[in-house]
């Protein structure tokens, strides 16, 4: 049976529209009608039926159309009571007439909506020559290129070639295509023409290639950004990179370079245009990867104390199978170190011939010599990362073999061993930067008396300890072992001690001492004392190891313990699955160096954070993550699947992992029987309260009544996401990247539920009709301190009002332009400028710089629609200006309150005791104090960031106005003046900053 023909050109869209289809017509009164829409054969009008109007009135002339919007972006959609039930990607609107009236429609799929939008935009843009496309595809750049490819392969010059040659040629041009699919396409084409021969003509070759290699979702995108052409020029590409992809400082030369590297035709490379095939190649290239290239190198501050980082850690590193029966294998260390692991385990026992060994005590038949293991560690220690490697020593050796271990480590590691004694005058561990290329031994340590050559310490054997705790006759006493001085002296800043409770630890634990917690114990503490756990981990290292009950070497969920600030969460690297995916994905950031800086709210000495928070984190602005799952490419059949042959029915799950308030999961619909290029076209939105701790996991599954089977996944930290249209490289179950297997997505990050911009972050948000929420200070119960924090109440409200007034003004102008909240300001200005052009193609307004702010002034009488838009634009400029001019004053008041409050930090307990606060009341007062400091610091930082963004917005608006031709005098002198104005705001603000400093 012939497969369904795909859309690959404007003529395909026009043909579809002429055949017609059913669309839902949405009215402002919350009513929705089913109507059959068609395009006239002469391409002059759109008609629908049935209708109460006569046939000549139930139509819309193409010449009257002003604009076509995709999505629910008109007043009708926004105010319709049933709008929530309408899919965003299936909705579109046709604005027509001088008053921009809207015809609001809903298609039965996003694909159909895209066809109507693309076709109508094409007709409107070509209204003066609407029959151009009827020339067919014969003169398009793509066809001319395919013609040269065919002619080069047609050595005889007969205009025909063998089917085998044609198949091979298409496979060379698109290696992801299956040979069987190409042959089937040729058979379909030849059958439709009632041909008996298997030889392929030039026309058939071009037709087969276009139908097989055109991804409709990429075609629709190209048409949208090229202003309805079949290719992109350098200006189109520049606008796409700035407005959609969030690329800054892009130039025309950079765009021409991209075109030269990705365009397949020689003509395109010379003339500077990028056709559909080159554009598809570009979108699939590493340049459009979803992972931020800045995070592919070390990008974080590495001079903080060791306790301020999450550390990539392995459990039972010597195993490559389960811990119950698996043999010890040297490759376990090689694999872990190559994956950037910075904390590995050595479980050492006595061996024969006075040679210490590593072995699985459940399988003693295979073992590794201690010396061979440390030689491999020495070889691979700093291949993936230069930052310190922690050796967690499980010592079960006799004294003689302990001495041999110490000698061998000194000899093999040499001066890489970090043995400097910690300084009592310090309060925090050294930084990863200071410990670069050093090997740090974690283990038990004897008292510092040099005359004591050996002594008893508690056993480090975690599994045995767990077994004893679970046994009936366990009396609470720990097993003691002997430790020699030589091995003890190799331990410096990672001395193992036993955890008792947080109160004792905070009073008496030294910063160079660390505790190990079993998964069970750590889970209990995390649930009962989440704030205390976070505070404890600001100064001390915590190591969490999996429960001894996990005899299959399954993995714990590392996120549960990262949320409490635990640095070393040991994972069974040999066991793939969702938990290992989270671990691997998390440590891809910061150059994969194995160290990830914790959020500042978990590092600051005085700050409040609870992992169990149910809502907004104090001092942190929640973000909205908008993800559109557009399509998938080349999904493989799940391993071991046999029930359905080669057919799969894929769907995509999006999982958000982070603090409990952020955890969420949503899924797309199932696409039946399509593994090559399933189209999903579904948009999802997630609120993320603590972005620095969040991860996104994309999972593709095969929908099967027996049980959904795994196809692929990709896990990425929130902070590493790149905005715009991106391809997600899927990984197999064991974590390997699968060649050519991708998800095509669109990513936008906004503040709460609106207001994206070209850069990676945005503060532009629509608060809607909700009551404005203020994050305020708490009452401590100590009048002296409460009086100081009360002074901050007014500036805090001012700061929040200024930010949100600006955000609301930005979203209002976007709504009037018919753009979604995720659109950038540059896109907004381009749309606005198109509305402010008169019938004779001259602007009805001009850019005027007042006090270095970009205002738009009318050049005469303008219609009401334009007045409304200008009023919204003026409000956006006024709110931005007010914030820029007032931010420093308000922030200074907040900072002064914070400083005044911090002066009481050391005396808080004494003041509380004098006022009679003790026990739970004193703890509550301390918690409220930390909350207030966190709120003041956070709101001050948010206001500062909002000011910087407002300045950047003003610059972007002025540049956009200039590029859209809205400046009064386009002479070089005026341009130079505008350029000086562009820099003036920034210079003025930086001057004020320097003056304050």
């Amino acid at each position: 049976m012939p497969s369904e023909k795909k859309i690959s050109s404007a003529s395909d869209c026009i043909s579809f529209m002429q055949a017609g289809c059913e669309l839902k017509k949405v009215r402002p009164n919350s009513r929705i009608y089913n109507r059959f829409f068609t395009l006239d054969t002469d391409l002059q009008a759109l008609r629908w039926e049935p209708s109460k109007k006569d046939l000549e009135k139930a139509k819309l002339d193409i010449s009257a159309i002003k604009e076509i919007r995709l999505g629910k972006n008109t007043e009708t959609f926004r105010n319709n009571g049933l709008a929530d039930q309408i899919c965003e990607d299936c909705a579109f609107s046709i604005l027509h007439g001088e008053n921009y009236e809207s015809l609001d429609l809903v298609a039965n799929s996003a694909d159909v909506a895209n066809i109507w939008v693309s076709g109508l935009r094409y007709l409107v843009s070509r209204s003066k020559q609407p029959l151009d496309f009827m020339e067919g595809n014969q003169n398009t750049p793509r066809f001319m290129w395919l013609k040269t490819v065919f002619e080069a392969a047609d050595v005889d010059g007969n205009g025909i070639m063998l089917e085998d040659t044609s198949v091979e040629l298409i496979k060379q041009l698109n290696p992801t295509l299956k040979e069987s699919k190409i042959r089937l396409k040729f058979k379909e084409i030849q059958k439709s023409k009632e041909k008996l021969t298997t030889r392929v003509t030039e026309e058939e070759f071009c037709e087969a290639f276009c139908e097989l290699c055109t991804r409709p979702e990429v075609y629709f995108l190209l048409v949208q950004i090229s202003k309805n052409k079949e290719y992109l020029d350098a200006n189109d590409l520049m606008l796409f990179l700035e407005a959609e992809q969030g690329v800054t400082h892009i130039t025309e030369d950079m765009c021409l370079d991209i075109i030269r590297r990705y365009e397949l035709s020689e003509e395109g490379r010379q003339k500077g245009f990028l056709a559909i095939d080159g554009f598809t190649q570009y979108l699939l290239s590493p340049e459009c990867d979803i992972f931020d290239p800045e995070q592919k190198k070390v990008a974080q501050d590495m001079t903080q104390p060791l306790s301020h980082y999450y550390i990539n850690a392995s459990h039972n590193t010597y195993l490559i199978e389960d811990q119950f029966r698996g043999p010890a294998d040297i490759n376990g260390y090689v694999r872990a170190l190559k994956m950037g692991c910075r904390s590995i385990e050595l479980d050492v026992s006595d061996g024969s011939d006075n040679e210490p060994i590593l072995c699985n005590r459940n399988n003693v038949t295979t073992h590794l010599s201690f010396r061979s293991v440390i030689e491999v560690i020495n070889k691979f220690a700093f291949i993936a990362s230069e930052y310190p490697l922690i050796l967690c020593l499980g010592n079960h050796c006799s004294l003689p073999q302990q001495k041999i271990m110490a000698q061998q480590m000194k000899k093999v590691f040499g001066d890489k061993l970090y043995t400097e004694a910690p300084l009592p005058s310090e309060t925090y561990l050294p930084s990863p930067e200071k410990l670069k290329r050093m090997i740090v031994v974690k283990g038990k340590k004897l008292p510092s008396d040099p005359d004591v050559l050996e002594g008893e310490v508690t056993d480090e054997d975690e599994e045995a300890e767990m077994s004893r705790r679970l046994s009936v006759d366990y009396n609470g006493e720990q097993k003691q072992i002997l430790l020699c001085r030589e091995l003890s002296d190799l331990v410096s800043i990672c001395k193992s001690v036993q955890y008792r409770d947080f109160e004792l630890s905070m009073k008496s634990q030294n910063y160079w001492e660390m505790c190990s917690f079993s998964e069970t114990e750590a889970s209990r503490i995390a649930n009962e004392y989440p704030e205390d756990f976070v505070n404890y981990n600001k100064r001390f290292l915590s190591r969490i190891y999996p429960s001894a009950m996990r005899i299959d070497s399954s993995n714990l969920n590392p996120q549960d313990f990262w949320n409490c600030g635990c640095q070393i969460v040991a994972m069974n690297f040999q066991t793939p699955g969702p938990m290992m995916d989270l671990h691997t994905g998390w440590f891809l950031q910061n150059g994969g160096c194995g160290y990830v800086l914790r959020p500042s709210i978990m590092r600051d000495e005085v700050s409040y954070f609870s992992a169990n928070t149910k809502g907004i984190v104090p001092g942190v602005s929640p973000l909205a993550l908008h993800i559109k799952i557009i399509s998938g490419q080349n999904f493989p059949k799940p391993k071991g699947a046999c029930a359905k042959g080669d057919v799969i029915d894929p769907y995509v799950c999006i999982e958000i992992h982070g603090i409990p308030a952020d955890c969420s999961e949503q899924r797309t619909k199932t696409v039946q029987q399509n593994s090559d290029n399933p189209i999903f076209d579904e948009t999802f939105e997630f609120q993320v309260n603590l972005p620095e701790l969040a991860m996104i996991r994309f999972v593709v599954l095969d929908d099967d009544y027996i049980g959904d089977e795994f196809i692929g996944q990709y896990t990425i930290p929130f902070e590493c996401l790149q905005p715009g249209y991106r391809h997600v490289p899927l990984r197999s179950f064991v974590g390997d990247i699968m060649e050519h297997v991708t998800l095509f997505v669109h990513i936008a990050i906004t503040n709460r539920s609106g207001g994206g911009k070209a850069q990676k972050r945005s503060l532009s948000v629509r608060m809607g009709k909700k009551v404005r929420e203020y994050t305020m200070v708490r009452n401590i119960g100590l009048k002296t301190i409460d009086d100081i924090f009360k002074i901050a109440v007014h500036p805090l409200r001012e700061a929040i009002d200024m930010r949100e007034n600006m955000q609301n003004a930005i979203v209002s102008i976007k709504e009037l332009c018919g753009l979604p909240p995720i659109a950038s300001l540059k896109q907004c200005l381009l749309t606005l400028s198109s509305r402010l052009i008169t019938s004779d193609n001259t602007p009805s307004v001009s850019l005027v710089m007042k006090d270095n702010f970009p205002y738009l002034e009318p050049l005469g009488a303008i219609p009401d629609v334009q007045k409304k838009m200008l009023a919204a634009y003026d409000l956006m400029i006024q709110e931005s200006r007010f914030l820029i001019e007032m931010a420093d004053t308000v922030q200074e008041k907040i900072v002064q309150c914070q400083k005044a409050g911090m002066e009481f930090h050391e005396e808080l307990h004494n003041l509380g005791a004098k006022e009679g606060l003790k026990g739970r009341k004193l703890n509550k007062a301390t918690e409220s104090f930390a909350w207030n400091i966190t709120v003041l610091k956070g709101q001050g930082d948010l206001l500062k960031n909002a000011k910087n963004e407002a300045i950047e917005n003003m610059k972007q608006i002025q540049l956009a106005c200039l590029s859209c031709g809205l400046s009064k005098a386009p002479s070089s002198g005026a341009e130079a003046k505008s350029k000086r104005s562009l820099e003036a705001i920034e210079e003025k603000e930086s001057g004020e900053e320097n003056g304050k400093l």
Side-chain angles (χ1 to χ4, degrees):
M1 293 292 291
S3 64
E4 190 178 336
K5 183 177 170 67
K6 287 202 292 189
I7 299 292
S8 60
S9 67
S11 58
D12 290 340
C13 295
I14 303 297
S15 299
F16 181 94
M17 291 159 65
Q18 286 175 325
C21 75
E22 191 173 87
L23 299 171
K24 289 181 173 66
K25 188 178 175 188
V26 181
R27 302 292 294 157
N29 59 6
S30 293
R31 293 192 177 181
I32 297 177
Y33 306 92
N34 287 324
R35 297 289 182 261
F36 194 86
F37 281 77
T38 54
L39 174 68
D40 278 356
T41 51
D42 62 0
L43 314 180
Q44 298 300 310
L46 197 63
R47 297 182 186 272
W48 58 91
E49 58 182 27
S51 173
K52 291 177 183 175
K53 301 175 184 175
D54 63 56
L55 287 176
E56 280 308 303
K57 289 187 178 177
K59 72 168 190 175
L60 177 61
D61 290 334
I62 299 298
S63 59
I65 296 176
K66 299 288 187 185
E67 188 181 324
I68 300 99
R69 296 178 183 174
L70 188 56
K72 298 183 289 187
N73 293 310
T74 62
E75 286 297 317
T76 301
F77 275 124
R78 278 193 285 269
N79 298 330
N80 191 294
L82 302 173
D84 288 345
Q85 300 169 30
I86 297 170
C87 172
E88 176 78 25
D89 304 301
C90 297
F92 66 100
S93 302
I94 302 169
L95 275 73
H96 56 92
E98 292 304 316
N99 292 323
Y100 284 78
E101 297 168 61
S102 68
L103 173 61
D104 300 284
L105 304 168
V106 182
N108 61 9
S109 75
D111 221 22
V112 171
N114 275 319
I115 291 171
W116 280 96
V117 170
S118 299
L120 287 168
R121 283 176 175 169
Y122 182 88
L123 288 173
V124 170
S125 67
R126 305 288 172 107
S127 56
K128 293 176 184 175
Q129 40 189 7
L131 298 178
D132 272 6
F133 81 93
M134 296 304 291
E135 297 171 14
N137 297 332
Q138 305 298 311
N139 294 322
T140 64
R142 186 186 203 187
F143 184 84
M144 301 303 289
W145 165 66
L146 286 172
K147 192 174 174 183
T148 60
V149 170
F150 184 90
E151 288 170 355
D154 177 20
V155 287
D156 298 330
N158 297 325
I160 57 172
M161 65 172 67
L162 292 171
E163 185 181 293
D164 288 350
T165 311
S166 298
V167 170
E168 191 56 39
L169 191 53
I170 288 179
K171 271 192 73 65
Q172 286 174 18
L173 295 171
N174 189 341
T176 64
L177 284 175
K178 295 171 187 167
E179 184 179 323
S180 58
K181 190 173 180 180
I182 303 173
R183 290 192 184 281
L184 180 64
K185 180 54 68 179
F186 280 126
K187 284 184 173 60
E188 287 174 15
I189 291 169
Q190 287 161 357
K191 186 176 181 181
S192 68
K193 295 181 178 178
E194 299 181 351
K195 278 180 64 177
L196 297 176
T197 175
T198 58
R199 290 178 180 267
V200 177
T201 66
E202 183 181 277
E203 183 186 346
E204 290 163 352
F205 172 79
C206 294
E207 185 180 347
F209 179 87
C210 288
E211 287 195 26
L212 288 166
C213 300
T214 304
R215 285 172 46 188
E217 74 279 20
V218 177
Y219 173 75
F220 292 136
L221 176 61
L222 179 135
V223 170
Q224 177 191 328
I225 60 181
S226 68
K227 303 177 190 69
N228 313 299
K229 302 190 294 290
E230 299 270 326
Y231 60 87
L232 300 176
D233 57 29
N235 285 332
D236 296 329
L237 187 57
M238 190 188 306
L239 181 60
F240 171 68
L241 293 174
E242 285 179 340
E244 281 290 358
Q245 304 296 86
V247 181
T248 53
H249 310 301
I250 193 80
T251 64
E252 188 175 349
D253 285 343
M254 290 161 72
C255 294
L256 288 170
D257 179 61
I258 290 170
I259 291 170
R260 281 191 288 270
R261 285 186 286 121
Y262 291 99
E263 171 55 30
L264 300 178
S265 71
E266 183 61 36
E267 182 192 10
R269 289 193 292 271
Q270 288 178 357
K271 292 184 177 178
F273 60 72
L274 192 62
I276 179 70
D277 302 293
F279 184 52
T280 305
Q281 294 283 345
Y282 172 64
L283 288 175
L284 282 164
S285 73
E287 292 182 56
C288 289
D289 190 78
I290 192 170
F291 195 91
D292 185 354
E294 287 299 309
Q295 287 285 348
K296 290 186 178 179
K297 54 182 184 282
V298 175
Q300 296 173 355
D301 177 9
M302 301 304 287
T303 62
Q304 300 274 329
L306 212 58
S307 58
H308 286 184
Y309 298 83
Y310 296 113
I311 302 172
N312 189 342
S314 158
H315 179 246
N316 287 347
T317 316
Y318 54 86
L319 294 180
I320 57 169
E321 295 176 30
D322 69 73
Q323 66 190 47
F324 192 62
R325 291 182 302 273
D329 193 310
I330 199 90
N331 287 315
Y333 290 97
V334 176
R335 176 188 57 199
L337 291 169
K338 282 185 173 179
M339 288 175 70
C341 187
R342 296 289 85 195
S343 172
I344 57 177
E345 295 184 7
L346 294 90
D347 218 2
V348 194
S349 304
D350 279 356
S352 56
D353 302 324
N354 236 11
E355 185 69 36
I357 60 168
L358 279 81
C359 69
N360 182 351
R361 276 167 286 159
N362 296 315
N363 180 356
V364 293
T365 54
T366 59
H367 60 260
L368 306 168
S369 77
F370 178 73
R371 185 183 182 92
S372 67
V373 169
I374 61 173
E375 283 174 346
V376 164
I377 291 170
N378 189 54
K379 180 179 177 182
F380 290 95
F382 302 108
I383 281 183
S385 171
E386 287 191 306
Y387 292 99
L389 176 65
I390 299 170
L391 302 187
C392 298
L393 215 54
N395 170 27
H396 316 292
C397 292
S398 60
L399 289 173
Q401 294 212 16
Q402 287 181 32
K403 292 176 181 178
I404 292 168
M405 282 168 61
Q407 290 166 8
Q408 290 178 346
M409 281 197 281
K410 284 179 181 176
K411 185 174 181 182
V412 172
F413 296 140
D415 56 10
K416 291 178 191 165
L417 269 178
Y418 186 82
T419 55
E420 282 183 32
L423 298 172
S425 57
E426 299 285 339
T427 53
Y428 283 97
L429 289 163
S431 69
E433 186 66 34
K434 185 180 177 184
L435 296 171
K436 252 185 179 178
R437 301 190 71 82
M438 301 303 293
I439 292 174
V440 178
V441 178
K442 170 203 165 284
K444 291 292 178 178
K445 193 168 176 66
L446 294 172
S448 54
D449 186 350
D451 295 330
V452 178
L453 300 178
E454 59 188 55
E456 282 194 339
V457 291
T458 52
D459 190 3
E460 191 69 0
D461 187 342
E462 294 158 358
E463 286 78 9
E465 178 65 24
M466 183 59 66
S467 301
R468 285 196 297 276
R469 284 179 180 274
L470 293 173
S471 65
V472 180
D473 56 352
Y474 175 66
N475 61 7
E477 291 183 11
Q478 288 184 290
K479 181 183 168 187
Q480 300 286 309
I481 59 166
L482 286 171
L483 178 67
C484 74
R485 170 61 61 187
E486 290 87 339
L487 193 58
S488 169
D489 286 348
L490 297 186
V491 177
S492 60
I493 55 170
C494 284
K495 176 188 174 184
S496 294
V497 295
Q498 189 68 30
Y499 168 76
R500 301 292 179 196
D501 60 57
F502 286 130
E503 189 176 353
L504 188 65
S505 295
M506 297 303 274
K507 283 180 183 175
S508 59
Q509 187 173 330
N510 295 306
Y511 71 86
W512 61 83
E513 295 173 336
M514 63 178 286
C515 298
S516 290
F517 301 83
S518 73
E519 172 190 352
T520 312
E521 185 181 23
S523 295
R524 178 186 63 78
I525 295 169
N527 285 323
E528 293 179 11
Y529 312 105
E531 298 94 341
D532 290 337
F533 214 169
V534 170
N535 286 329
Y536 172 84
N537 286 320
K538 290 175 185 177
R539 281 190 60 201
F540 308 113
L541 287 176
S542 292
R543 174 174 162 272
I544 316 297
Y545 57 88
S547 165
M549 298 303 181
R550 295 182 182 273
I551 57 173
D552 58 350
S553 289
S554 58
N555 274 308
L556 48 76
N557 185 345
Q559 190 82 49
D560 294 341
F561 305 105
W562 292 336
N563 289 346
C564 294
C566 300
Q567 302 87 351
I568 303 175
V569 182
M571 302 291 287
N572 289 308
F573 273 49
Q574 74 273 25
T575 309
M579 299 304 104
M580 197 61 204
D581 293 340
L582 293 180
H583 180 272
T584 304
W586 182 249
F587 286 104
L588 288 174
Q589 62 186 309
N590 203 26
C593 75
Y595 285 83
V596 172
L597 190 62
R598 297 208 316 252
S600 61
I601 199 169
M602 301 172 81
R603 304 192 314 264
D604 293 341
E605 187 178 355
V606 180
S607 63
Y608 175 84
F609 176 72
S610 169
N612 294 341
T613 182
K614 294 292 186 290
I616 293 173
V617 177
V620 178
S621 178
L623 298 175
L625 171 64
H626 309 259
I627 300 178
K628 182 175 184 179
I629 304 291
I630 302 171
S631 63
Q633 290 74 48
N634 311 306
F635 291 163
K637 182 181 168 186
K639 284 196 173 177
C642 56
K644 298 186 292 187
D646 288 332
V647 176
I648 64 168
D649 303 322
Y651 68 93
V652 183
C653 272
I654 308 167
E655 302 169 359
I656 308 295
H657 298 265
I659 60 173
D662 290 342
C663 291
S664 180
E665 181 178 330
Q666 295 196 54
R667 59 157 287 179
T668 66
K669 63 180 182 292
T670 297
V671 175
Q672 302 294 331
Q673 302 186 13
N674 190 337
S675 61
D676 297 331
N677 191 36
I679 304 291
F680 300 99
D681 261 332
E682 287 188 67
T683 303
F684 305 94
E685 183 180 322
F686 303 90
Q687 178 163 311
V688 183
N689 293 289
L690 188 55
E692 290 172 279
L693 264 187
M695 272 190 291
I696 296 87
R697 184 170 181 257
F698 299 92
V699 192
V700 182
L701 298 162
D702 181 15
D703 200 340
D704 195 343
Y705 64 91
I706 299 172
D708 299 347
E709 295 182 275
F710 177 89
I711 293 172
Q713 69 83 33
Y714 184 76
T715 307
I716 180 172
F718 184 97
E719 295 288 298
C720 297
L721 285 171
Q722 288 219 91
Y725 290 92
R726 304 289 172 184
H727 278 91
V728 179
L730 294 180
R731 293 176 179 258
S732 67
F733 184 72
V734 295
D736 298 327
I737 287 184
M738 299 184 283
E739 195 175 17
H740 305 308
V741 182
T742 54
L743 270 179
F744 187 41
V745 302
H746 182 267
I747 303 288
I749 298 166
T750 66
N751 188 281
R752 295 221 186 128
S753 57
K757 64 166 194 171
Q759 281 68 32
K760 196 166 174 187
R761 290 282 179 272
S762 177
L763 290 164
S764 315
V765 55
R766 183 67 166 180
M767 293 301 294
K769 296 176 183 176
K770 288 195 294 185
V771 176
R772 184 165 292 175
E773 295 174 9
Y774 294 95
T775 307
M776 302 310 289
V777 293
R778 291 178 177 175
N779 193 49
I780 293 170
L782 297 171
K783 188 176 183 306
T784 314
I785 304 176
D786 283 333
D787 287 346
I788 289 170
F789 286 130
K790 278 177 186 173
I791 298 169
V793 170
H794 183 64
L796 279 175
R797 290 182 74 95
E798 278 187 298
I800 293 168
D801 283 340
M802 282 195 293
R803 285 194 297 114
E804 297 196 348
N805 288 344
M806 181 184 79
Q807 293 158 9
N808 289 346
I810 290 174
V811 173
S812 292
I813 187 78
K814 287 180 183 178
E815 285 183 354
L816 279 174
C817 289
L819 294 171
I822 62 172
S824 70
L825 266 179
K826 181 138 190 175
Q827 289 169 314
C828 189
L829 263 293
L830 288 167
T831 305
L832 185 66
S833 66
S834 68
R835 303 271 189 85
L836 300 173
I837 301 292
T838 60
S839 54
D840 59 351
N841 228 20
T842 58
S844 58
V845 299
S846 79
L847 172 69
V848 177
M849 299 301 295
K850 293 181 186 174
D851 301 324
N852 301 318
F853 286 91
Y855 288 87
L856 291 177
E857 289 193 350
L859 296 172
I862 57 173
D864 289 344
V865 174
Q866 291 187 0
K867 283 179 184 174
K868 191 175 178 183
M869 298 191 83
L870 279 184
Y873 176 87
D874 282 345
L875 180 63
M876 175 182 68
I877 299 299
Q878 293 289 12
E879 294 293 356
S880 301
R881 178 174 183 169
F882 185 70
L883 188 146
I884 290 169
E885 292 175 346
M886 296 299 298
D888 287 347
T889 305
V890 175
Q891 190 195 357
E892 183 62 28
K893 291 177 186 175
I894 294 171
V895 169
Q896 288 305 320
C897 287
Q898 182 191 343
K899 285 180 180 175
M902 280 299 290
E903 288 178 7
F904 290 93
H905 170 51
E906 300 292 338
E907 294 298 313
L908 190 61
H909 276 264
N910 293 337
L911 285 170
K914 284 180 185 176
E915 295 290 327
L917 298 180
K918 55 186 176 181
R920 288 183 64 183
K921 285 187 176 179
L922 184 57
N923 288 339
K924 189 68 180 173
T926 307
E927 183 184 294
S928 296
F929 181 86
W931 167 280
N932 291 350
I933 295 296
T934 305
V935 166
L936 292 170
K937 182 181 183 300
Q939 291 298 330
D941 289 345
L942 287 173
L943 185 58
K944 183 180 178 182
N945 293 339
K947 176 191 167 183
N948 291 336
E949 184 171 330
I951 292 169
E952 181 62 29
N953 285 347
M954 295 302 100
K955 290 168 64 180
Q956 291 301 320
I957 287 169
Q958 188 181 347
L959 283 171
C961 287
L962 291 170
S963 65
C964 295
L966 295 181
S967 57
K968 211 180 250 181
S971 66
S972 57
E975 277 189 29
K977 186 178 178 182
S978 283
K979 193 171 182 183
R980 287 194 297 275
S981 298
L982 191 65
E983 295 160 355
I985 299 171
E986 194 171 19
E987 286 174 5
K988 179 184 171 187
E989 296 303 328
S990 61
E992 286 176 7
E993 289 283 329
N994 292 334
K996 280 168 64 180
L997 288 170

